[in-house]
Each structure stands twice: as structure tokens, then as C-alpha cells.
Amino acid sequence: MHPTLRVPPMAGAGPTPGRPVTISGRTLDADTVVGAHSHEWGQLTYAGHGMMRVSAERSSWIVPPQRAIWIAPGVLHEVVTLEEAYLCPLRIHAAREPFNGEKCRVVEVSPLLRELIAALEPADGELPEARAALLGELILDELARAPTRPIRVPLPQDKRLKALCEALIEAPGAPQTLEHWAREVGASERTLARLFEKELGMRFGQWRQQVRLAHAAPMIARGMPLSRVAEELGYASQSAFTAMFRKTFGSPPSSFFARQPP
């Protein structure tokens, strides 16, 4: 993917002690970048529809509408839309952080949380302050109970490793070995293997698997057949992909996504 449009962060009122959660939404075209920025408040980065990639804390997450990412106050982050998306981040007062100082956390958006978020942004104008405050409290309560759904892709700083990682994020099904990539980026295979362990805390094969899982999530959420998902991500068969998914998450894709809203 090659983003073509850069836009500023969302405008709108910040949260207050009396109104701890605020929201404003906008539709963004595919390949739009909301450049790196931070806030004095916390943010639940959420899209009502469409896929996005969120990068923060040297990690990247691919996020379908069934998930959202908590970004703590002061954390630098960037959002890239992978397709047309309705981005509607929730601003949460710094004193009301729901996750005890965690900088980032991926959460599942339950049907109730989704409806509460929609109610906070009415189509017919401003909410009364009392109702907005009440909805904010309900959102915070539901958010604190939300299960995590982590598919995290750590990102490197070394330029050679970064070039390799960016290429695989662009084409997660690429079958080339670490030896091949070493020639492409001008480093020895041993050097790259050492950098994967040092900077990313995992081996090349483990990191590539996380990238493939990150890409698989929105494909499955959109209803793509598992056989096609497996093919596009470089697996020899659907059963091989399902076995990998089960090993990582403890359940096959059909069960993992069963609780997700359509």
C-alpha cells in the first residue's frame, strides 16, 4: 500500500471531568494518513466501518471495525486507512484511563460498546450534557470489561531490517527466505537474524507469522473464504493456515471470530 493523502488529526472538543468521553467522526478515503501526533487525553482509536493500520510504540496493528486500540495520553501514533473508513476516535479524559497506565491495548468492540459509541455521536445534533456524561460513564465501564484481541506487529529501527519488514507488510504472502532478504537489503543473514532477536524479540519466521495474522483478521472479518485467505498469505493449504491460527490463538478462525458482530 502506498498512502497518497495526508490529513491533520480530528478536530473537536476534548474531554472534561464532567464529560469524560467525547467523539467526532469523519469518513476518510483509502490510503489516507493521519500523521504521527499525540494528545493530552487518551484515545480509543476506532472505525465504525473500514480497515485501518495504527502504529505506535514501535508496533503496528491492523484493525477491523470489530476491534479498537487504546492509546494512552502523550503516546505518539499514526493512522493509515487500508480502505475507505469512518474514523470516530473517542477522546477519554486522562484522569479516567481505563487500563491502569497501559500505553496501548487492542480490545474487542462488543455489540453494546458499538451501540454506546453510536449513541454518543447522534445524527441530529448535540447531545444534552447530562446524557453525554451518562453515555461516557457507560462506555468507560464497558471498555474496562472488553476482552483483548492482540495481533501485534513490532517494528524495527535498523534501516536494513526496516526495509525488509516494510516489504513483507506490503506483501505478507511473499515466500522468500531470510537469505534472500539479506541480499535485498545488503546485510548478512546472520546479521538480520540477530537484529530480529534484538530489536523485535522474535525470529524472522515468528515475525512474518504475526504479519500474516494481522492481514488475515480483516480478510476473515470481510467474509473472505479461508481457502483464499490461506492462498493470499502464502500457506500451502487452508488446513495449514487453520493449524497455525489455532496454535496461536487456541481456536480456529471460525470460533475466534464467532463473537464478532457482522
Side-chain angles (χ1 to χ4, degrees), residues 98-114:
F99 301 120
N100 297 319
E102 283 189 53
K103 291 186 176 180
C104 300
R105 177 188 279 205
V106 180
V107 298
E108 179 179 326
V109 178
S110 68
L112 175 57
L113 181 56
R114 188 178 73 250

Side-chain angles (χ1 to χ4, degrees), residues 30 39 43 72 93 121 134 143 161 170 178 193 205 215 247 260:
H39 311 286
Q43 179 171 291
H93 194 271
E121 188 187 27
L134 180 59
L143 185 57
L161 192 59
E170 292 276 349
L178 187 59
H215 280 267
K247 181 179 179 181
Q260 306 285 7

Side-chain angles (χ1 to χ4, degrees), residues 43-125:
Q43 179 171 291
L44 186 71
T45 307
Y46 169 71
H49 71 258
M51 304 288 166
M52 59 182 171
R53 185 173 71 211
V54 179
S55 299
E57 292 294 297
R58 293 181 57 195
S59 292
S60 182
W61 297 266
I62 293 178
V63 189
Q66 298 88 351
R67 294 184 185 155
I69 296 183
W70 162 253
I71 305 289
V75 171
L76 197 68
H77 58 283
E78 178 183 85
V79 179
V80 179
T81 56
L82 304 181
E83 58 187 31
E84 182 182 276
Y86 183 67
L87 189 63
C88 45
L90 277 71
R91 305 177 180 91
I92 297 175
H93 194 271
R96 302 297 304 277
E97 289 190 49
F99 301 120
N100 297 319
E102 283 189 53
K103 291 186 176 180
C104 300
R105 177 188 279 205
V106 180
V107 298
E108 179 179 326
V109 178
S110 68
L112 175 57
L113 181 56
R114 188 178 73 250
E115 293 304 322
L116 289 170
I117 292 170
L120 193 63
E121 188 187 27
D124 56 356

Side-chain angles (χ1 to χ4, degrees), residues 128-157:
E129 285 295 319
R131 179 170 173 78
L134 180 59
L135 285 170
E137 294 296 337
L138 290 171
I139 286 171
L140 288 171
D141 185 74
E142 183 68 8
L143 185 57
R145 302 166 186 265
T148 60
R149 291 289 194 226
I151 302 180
R152 171 178 170 265
V153 178
L155 300 175
Q157 291 183 315

Side-chain angles (χ1 to χ4, degrees), residues 235-246:
Y235 289 91
S237 65
Q238 178 180 328
S239 60
F241 168 73
T242 299
M244 178 277 301
F245 198 101
R246 184 193 296 272

